[in-house]
Amino acid sequence: MSDSTQSPSDYTASSEVGAVRKRRTRRERWWLALKKAPVSAWFGMLVIAGYVFVAVFAPLLAPYGEAEIFPTPFAPWDATHQFGTDQIGRDILTRMIYGARNTMGIALVTTLLSFLIGGGLGLIAAINRSWLDQLLSRMTDVIMAIPSLIFALMLLSIFKPSVASLIFIIAVLDSTRVFRLTRSVAINVVVMDYVEAARLRGEKLSWIMRHEILPNIMPPLVAEFGLRFSFVFLTIASLSFLGVGIQPPTADWGSMVRENASLIQFAQYDIKAGITPLLPAAAIGLLTVAVNFVVDWFLHKSSGLRDEH
Amino acid sequence: MSIDNEPNVAQSDGSQNTLLDMRNIHIEGFSDEQWHPIIKGVDLALERGQIMGLIGESGAGKSTLGLAAMGFVRAGCRFTQGEVNFDGTDLLKLKDAQKRTLWGTRIAYVAQSAAAAFNPAHRLIDQTIESASRSQLRPDAESRRDAVGLFESLHLPDPANIGQRYPHQVSGGQLQRVMTAMAMSARPDLIIFDEPTTALDVTTQVEVLASMREIVEQHNAAAIYITHDLAVVAQMADIIKVLRFGEEVEQSETRTMLSSPKQAYTRSLWSVRSLEKPEEKGEDIVLSMQNIHAAYGRVQVLHGVTINLPRGKTVAIVGESGSGKSTAARVITGLLPPGKGDVLFNGEALPADLKDRKPEHLRQIQMIYQMADTAMNPRQTVEQIIGRPIELYHDISGAKKAERIAELLNMIELDESFLDRLPAELSGGQKQRICIARALAANPDVIICDEVTSALDQIVQEGILKLLLRLQQEFGISYLFITHDIATVKAISDEIVVMYQGEVVEQGLKSEILNPPHPEYTELLLSSVPEMDPDWLTELLGSRTN
Amino acid sequence: MHPIFITIIKRLALGLVTLFVVSAIIFSSVTLLPGDFGEAVLGQAATEETVAAFREELGLDKPAVLRYFEWAGAVLKGDLGTSFSGRSASGVDRSRSVAEMIWPRLKNTLFLAGVTALIAVPLAIILGLSAALYRNTWYDRSINATTLTTISMPEFFVAYVLILLLSSLWKAFPSLATVDPGMLLGERLYRIALPAFTLTLIIVAHMMRMTRAAIINLLASPYIEMARLKGASRSEIILKHALPNAWAPIATVVAFNLAYLVVGVVVVEVVFVYPGVGQLMVDSVTSRDIPVVQACALIFAGTYIILNLIADVIGIVTNPRLLHPR
């Protein structure tokens, strides 16, 4: 940057220097960022990778079948049942492994659906800015005026609890938050001169959406996806814990806590039995912590430390 | 380094005349996970009562150096070497608590944006006397009376009561003066002015400059005046220091610096304003606004504006913020359909709304924006940015498109090595050139340039203006050039339109508009533009009071 | 009239409209009921007449709008309808009025939430402010890591860990928070110690993080840098320059978290078998006792709306731009 002084006579546009960022390909940038990621982010990524691995290979990893029942209910920890059995004699370790698959799978599908609904409508509202935006925004306000767990409970009392109704209800309720975020970040992009330039050029709406807006709102949306996933995951776990979420015999961490909660009372006689109901709860907590760590780092990265001089 | 003896140096404490002595300052900033040098070994010495102008382009480190004079760096920056001796004490060796006893009382700071630098929750008077009150310089009641006196000498309206107001209740120019009073309240020995008039319109700037200079002289304070505007610094400073890339280029007494700068870089800064295009009259009108009335919601912005643009010529629209000059551009492009009036293109009325215009209409009128940063999608490469209009308007793709892109890059004096760069990998001037190439890709008849050079450094500005003139000669493009900068107008226009509060004050050939007689507003506007003459402000104020 | 009153009245009106729409949504959920609902409630053995009578009682033969206004009118008078439970196929009706079921439980829930809020709100604000003040020190970092972990845990996990430690292993507090109306205040507080502790942990974590973020956001304003350069000390900057502008964000944070408390209460009441509205709602969802569910949802949503309303009004009242118009 510290080249000698220029005079107008030897000035050329291509030699002009300024605050020019060093050129790197996308892969190089990602690799560089990964290398500099803090321990917490690495921890988070490893944990998530582990969970995904368990979820994908659940049938291979689990010692028994998902709903296989053994003669002794509440069996203690031993070689045949590493974490004992539950109230009707199912192997806890097996159900933990299948629970990873079910709970995470349902949360993932729900989050994807909620982004499809909320993200799509948010984009349309941001570009349209007319009565449609008004209508959608007011609807969102009203739905968000009811706490989502309460709303979900109410709807679940009407539709029979099932995986499909659970996914649909949570996705719709959660899409309001995705809608708000997408709309607000997209509005910040829509007012940019390059979007105006595209409109002046005569580009179609769908082209503007795909080429000008979407690529620029991806970083906050990706981070939000992580946060929404944790939130959805916790909501589903809570509903299952309350007995109105994922229904037996499907293995699921929330219901497992509920089913085995009474074991806590035996902690002073057998500490292992006492912590058994905490295992699925801890599994839920660990995944949420991991996702939060990664999102924290990602947000920090994409917001960037601005040059302050 | 030696400093010429100044005639108006304060005659205080005999032998020890140096107030501030900064030596070998090195400052680094943290970005991209690394420390980068911002200031690379600058010395700065200032005597009591002396005003130093600190000038340089963006990224020269002038603000950082100004704050360093207080022993302060912003978050994400650090001192790595050097000393800041203020009245015999090295500020860098002091603890924060010790520095705080100096800040606001002996060294004061005037920030660029007064609107943001005042706390919205407190009355102006309380903020004005805050430092004096904390240091228990004098009873608060006395400080309040003194502040009213300062308001009065800064020519603020209703000085007795303006302090009772909250920041959002007064105008930007007034706030900037209140901030000067705030800096002055504890009678500091040194004031740092950090681009205090950059955000103001020229006609307001003159008044603020005059009252700042007056009060600093009155109280015999020393000051560092940071700006990128040479003409402004010429009015304010006794000596000028030129910075570039965090290093000193040269320093000398103001008149010497203006008349005979030593370094090539300084001369290049000075020479920019010499660019001037001979005017030509044009008869064939390509674009015309006929009696346009336009409004945002209920707020009427344009009141019957008529502007004609001759083919192959440049019409500059000049005006301050709120004059409606950018709104005029929005009406022409169809972004804001007018309430009344027509936009004629080659004598034929264009549909008012963008949506109703044919691609051919859109192709013929292109636009270039002030901020090239926001005018280009940060996720698209140069190739995609320039290539899109070629594809869209001319239905050219493949090898032919690549050929055309290369040709366009040559036109704007760049080469094919830029093809796969993203906007963040370009300098300010290169970005603006890519925007010009994007406009050219459409083969337009008319290009609307909205303050295209205002965000750029002087040398780069000149390069862009020369490029635009060359392209006009080669392709006969007509420009509608919106700007608030009179120097740019002189450089590029054939005709000038002066706008004020949504109306056209006058339109005519450049020579007619710039030479007297003027309508009242044009006179005020033209006379308010600072000139590179240290006596300009004094003479102007003299002539205005007469 | 001072323009600030107009702003407040507008906000209040908006709150009323929201409440109206929300109640309409809660009400209309009944119309989503599947057709065989009468049989589901009354049992397979119900005769056609009893089912028809039940449907008539629900008013399913009248237009929905009319039914809404009848229902809303009754709610305003404190009549929340009659529970579905206690009905039988034979047509014998031993059902209770919803208001009668909810009222004692509402008092319990308000007691638990109130005790929690009383501890959590001041604690969270103090922690948040001090973390912002000493940001990037070990104090700030450790608080941050702890709270990030806490907010990632499901409420029932925190609850069971506390039960394990403070009730099962060390028998300090009861794991079942059973209370009855005759109980003295001290006894009552002892019984709800664990649920209140659980809720406090969760709410403090959320609220502290948001307070810290709001204050740090404020500290980035140019007028704070100006205050520093005017020689203001750290505490002066926080108390004199940041805090007067922080009431609106802090009020929002507090309201948001008290609303969150409403949700947390549901899970915690179930864990500790505490006789509150949350537990009642969950039970009623399981037994599909729609009138009770509706009443509970209305209470929770109403609380939530009113809290947000209060936060917004505080934001309006402390905004200097609105307080001192041009």
Side-chain angles (χ1 to χ4, degrees), chain B residues 69-81:
Chain B
M70 305 179 75
F72 176 86
V73 282
R74 293 208 162 110
C77 297
R78 65 177 184 193
F79 286 102
T80 48
Q81 256 188 68

Side-chain angles (χ1 to χ4, degrees), chain A residues 206-238:
Chain A
S206 61
W207 194 93
I208 294 180
M209 230 187 212
R210 275 179 293 128
H211 291 87
E212 308 284 358
I213 298 174
L214 211 51
N216 287 296
I217 61 171
M218 276 324 271
L221 284 190
V222 168
E224 183 68 7
F225 189 86
L227 292 179
R228 290 324 321 154
F229 174 79
S230 327
F231 186 80
V232 164
F233 184 69
L234 281 178
T235 309
I236 291 179
S238 297

Side-chain angles (χ1 to χ4, degrees), chain A residues 142 144-147 149-151 153-160 177 234 237-238 241-242 244 254 257-258 261 264-268 271 274-275 278 281-282 284-286 288-289 292-293 296, chain C residues 18 21-22 25-26 29-30 32-34 148-149 151-157 160-161 163-164 168-169 171 175 209 262-263 266-267 270-271 281-282 285-286 288 290 293 297 300-301 304-305:
Chain A
V142 168
M144 287 176 79
I146 308 176
L149 187 75
I150 303 296
F151 209 149
L153 278 174
M154 194 180 80
L155 292 177
L156 284 169
S157 72
I158 293 159
F159 305 101
K160 271 213 165 82
R177 280 152 224 273
L234 281 178
S238 297
F241 171 77
L242 295 175
V244 292
V257 177
R258 172 194 183 82
I264 286 195
Q265 300 308 325
F266 304 106
Q268 48 182 332
I271 182 69
I275 62 170
L278 294 182
I284 295 167
L286 184 61
T288 339
V289 172
N292 271 327
F293 277 161
D296 240 27
Chain C
T18 315
V21 178
V22 164
I25 289 177
I26 291 175
S29 59
V30 170
L32 295 171
L33 283 177
L148 183 64
T149 316
I151 59 168
S152 308
M153 297 297 163
E155 294 90 353
F156 53 84
F157 180 66
Y160 282 125
V161 168
I163 292 182
L164 180 72
S168 195
L169 292 178
K171 296 194 178 303
S175 67
R209 283 178 75 82
V262 167
V263 179
V266 175
V267 174
V270 170
V271 172
M281 183 169 184
V282 174
V285 170
T286 320
R288 309 187 74 192
I290 305 296
V293 174
F300 282 128
Y304 196 91
I305 292 169

Side-chain angles (χ1 to χ4, degrees), chain A residues 54-126:
Chain A
V54 171
V56 171
F57 297 104
L60 300 176
L61 296 170
Y64 307 105
E66 185 176 354
E68 204 176 329
I69 298 176
F70 294 90
T72 1
F74 289 139
W77 296 19
D78 58 29
T80 45
H81 302 291
Q82 281 80 1
F83 292 147
T85 59
D86 68 5
Q87 85 284 7
I88 55 170
R90 290 172 298 195
D91 181 61
I92 298 241
L93 178 63
T94 303
R95 291 191 63 80
M96 289 275 294
I97 291 170
Y98 276 102
R101 177 178 251 203
N102 299 333
T103 317
M104 280 173 68
I106 291 174
L108 191 66
V109 172
T110 309
T111 318
L112 284 172
L113 186 60
S114 108
F115 266 74
L116 215 61
I117 303 171
L121 292 179
L123 268 183
I124 292 172

